Amino acid sequence: MENAMNINAKLTPVEAEALLVALREQYRLSLNEHWYADQFRFVADGLRHGAILAHVPAMAAQKSLMAALTHSLKAVK
């Protein structure tokens, strides 16, 4: 990934879990909203999620952040 940014944050496990829960809910709502939007309606189901992420950078960032939080929480436990 060219020009990728690396962001570090210190969170307690409770804060990280709370942020992860909030991000998952926000991601779920955004995905549902875009899934049925005219722009993506005729994209095949198997390709639709990737197409949405390619056109909605905030959701792509959320997905990366959720993965990083999940990995970090597993490492702490």
Side-chain angles (χ1 to χ4, degrees):
M1 183 182 296
E2 196 171 314
N3 290 332
M5 296 178 64
N6 187 12
I7 299 170
N8 294 310
K10 288 188 179 189
L11 303 172
T12 67
V14 172
E15 291 170 336
E17 186 64 43
L19 179 57
L20 182 58
V21 168
L23 283 170
R24 283 180 177 157
E25 179 62 13
Q26 185 179 31
Y27 188 85
R28 183 188 69 78
L29 292 171
S30 294
L31 183 61
N32 191 51
E33 175 186 338
H34 291 290
W35 192 266
Y36 298 104
D38 289 340
Q39 181 179 3
F40 303 107
R41 184 177 300 157
F42 297 109
V43 177
D45 284 354
L47 302 174
R48 196 177 305 179
H49 188 228
I52 292 169
L53 291 179
H55 285 89
V56 185
M59 286 184 65
Q62 282 178 316
K63 186 174 184 229
S64 295
L65 184 54
M66 288 187 299
L69 285 168
T70 299
H71 177 74
S72 294
L73 284 167
K74 285 181 182 176
V76 169
K77 291 182 182 179

